[in-house]
Amino acid sequence: MNRLEDFAHIFAGVEPFCGEVPEGYIVDFMGILTDARFREMFGVNPANVRGGQVRTELPRLNGKENGEDFIERANWFAAARAARERFVMITLGACYGAQAVGSARALQLVNPMPYKLVAVEGDPENCQWIVRHMRDNGIDPDRQWLVEAAISDHNAPVLFPVGSPGTGAQNCVATNEDVSREVYADELIGSGRAEEALRSLLVNNSTGITKDLVPGRNFSAEIKFVSAVTLKDILGPFDLVDYLESDIQQSEILVFPPFMDVLKRKVRRVHIGTHGRDVHRVLHDMFRRQGWEMVFSYEPNAEHDSALGQFTTNDGLLTVRNPDLS
């Protein structure tokens, strides 16, 4: 586990992108174009992204900031190289589709074959951005499976924060638990807005309540009812999934445990961004007990040493491989 040295040459044979980039777009080492507006929430000013001639470099662990990025990209290439005949990739909490597009481009570069991308995302504007991001990078979204829904452990509609696209900060844990629903009810009744809220719920599926997704960052979202799907629903149409990626802001502790059996039957490789050390440890132990090969397990909010250098994590990083489907 955590043998990053085994991935030192995972990008071998890839020529870093060098060329002209349109105004308003950021480019990575594979030539993936990202609309700068998708990164505005994190301090990118689209007006200052002028495009022009750009030379890139292969990813490497060269400091404390980019461990998560390196490991995500290493997983794209490891999954792509292991694929046979047809590649299926699923991303949960897809945001604007970076993981799906990155996986598809890695496949095109090192092991070209037909593919199906599945993106599950609960925020409607993020779903529109997925379509744009795919089209900007030569992927036909109509040939993929884009699921506008929250991912949960059941199919009942969930209270979900809608808004602040691009932040990737939404989940249906904090907003949908019983205690939160009680708080919302007390807030609406106490403020004299019960009649207004009832109308909003029946007409717009919305509580009318707004919350800051990340305290102090002004990432505002409206608490609304949205449809929910389960991991079993998403895996159902497929006999084999090459790579499943998840970044669902602690909802992973709801989403994965009930469906470990179907994961073991169908999925070759799983990568989960974990949120909270307790969540990370529970999921780590669960996959280990089920006989998965532990590839990476780095707890969140920590510093880590590796053969390739030191790095920090914000989200935890849990990558597992299914030895039954090698």
Side-chain angles (χ1 to χ4, degrees), residues 259-312:
F259 304 110
M260 290 297 293
D261 56 341
V262 69
L263 272 172
K264 194 70 183 299
R265 289 199 310 271
K266 294 191 173 191
V267 183
R268 274 183 168 158
R269 190 181 198 90
V270 177
H271 176 71
I272 304 172
T274 60
H275 303 81
R277 292 192 178 190
D278 289 346
V279 168
H280 183 97
R281 290 168 184 172
V282 168
L283 292 176
H284 173 109
D285 291 344
M286 183 178 66
F287 278 100
R288 181 180 52 79
R289 286 195 304 270
Q290 293 286 332
W292 292 74
E293 176 190 341
M294 313 305 293
V295 181
F296 298 122
S297 183
Y298 293 105
E299 291 189 349
N301 305 118
E303 291 192 0
H304 305 278
D305 290 312
S306 79
L308 301 186
Q310 188 181 54
F311 63 94
T312 60

Side-chain angles (χ1 to χ4, degrees), residues 28 30 32 34 39 68-77 79 87-107 116-120 130 133-134 139 243-247 271-273 315 317:
D28 78 345
M30 294 188 289
I32 293 175
T34 299
R39 307 301 298 162
E68 293 175 43
D69 288 345
F70 181 91
I71 287 173
E72 286 177 352
R73 285 153 179 76
N75 273 305
W76 297 347
F77 279 81
F87 180 77
V88 177
M89 186 273 178
I90 296 172
T91 175
L92 309 178
C95 197
Y96 62 85
Q99 297 288 332
V101 171
S103 294
R105 183 60 58 85
L107 184 76
K116 174 71 76 174
L117 306 175
V118 183
V120 183
I130 292 170
H133 191 48
M134 286 184 174
I139 297 171
Y243 183 44
L244 188 152
E245 180 274 339
S246 170
D247 187 0
H271 176 71
I272 304 172
D315 292 357
L317 304 170

Side-chain angles (χ1 to χ4, degrees), residues 38 91-98 101 118-135 141-142 144-151 160 162-167 170 226-227:
F38 298 168
T91 175
L92 309 178
C95 197
Y96 62 85
V101 171
V118 183
V120 183
E121 171 58 49
D123 185 275
E125 192 165 356
N126 272 338
C127 290
Q128 295 172 20
W129 286 8
I130 292 170
V131 171
R132 285 165 49 193
H133 191 48
M134 286 184 174
R135 286 181 174 152
D142 294 333
Q144 315 312 319
W145 188 22
L146 311 184
V147 182
E148 186 177 317
I151 183 84
F160 188 82
V162 173
S164 295
T167 60
Q170 290 95 340
V226 304
S227 299

Side-chain angles (χ1 to χ4, degrees), residues 135-267:
R135 286 181 174 152
D136 284 341
N137 289 284
I139 297 171
D140 182 356
D142 294 333
R143 298 178 67 87
Q144 315 312 319
W145 188 22
L146 311 184
V147 182
E148 186 177 317
I151 183 84
S152 187
D153 58 341
H154 57 73
N155 292 119
V158 296
L159 286 170
F160 188 82
V162 173
S164 295
T167 60
Q170 290 95 340
N171 70 54
C172 61
V173 176
T175 55
N176 194 59
E177 59 188 359
D178 290 345
V179 66
S180 296
R181 289 176 178 241
E182 290 286 350
V183 168
Y184 301 149
D186 291 343
E187 180 180 334
L188 291 169
I189 294 168
S191 63
R193 292 188 290 147
E195 184 175 339
E196 173 189 341
L198 177 60
R199 178 176 297 276
S200 182
L201 283 169
L202 292 175
V203 175
N204 301 313
N205 292 321
S206 176
T207 65
I209 295 172
T210 58
K211 296 293 182 183
D212 192 357
L213 296 175
V214 181
R217 297 295 299 271
N218 195 30
F219 292 167
S220 180
E222 186 175 2
I223 307 302
K224 305 184 73 169
F225 276 107
V226 304
S227 299
V229 295
T230 69
L231 194 53
K232 186 176 181 180
D233 298 329
I234 297 301
L235 293 173
F238 304 103
D239 294 324
L240 178 67
V241 173
D242 294 277
Y243 183 44
L244 188 152
E245 180 274 339
S246 170
D247 187 0
I248 49 179
Q249 306 301 308
Q250 202 175 28
S251 292
E252 61 269 14
I253 199 61
L254 296 178
V255 168
F256 285 90
F259 304 110
M260 290 297 293
D261 56 341
V262 69
L263 272 172
K264 194 70 183 299
R265 289 199 310 271
K266 294 191 173 191
V267 183

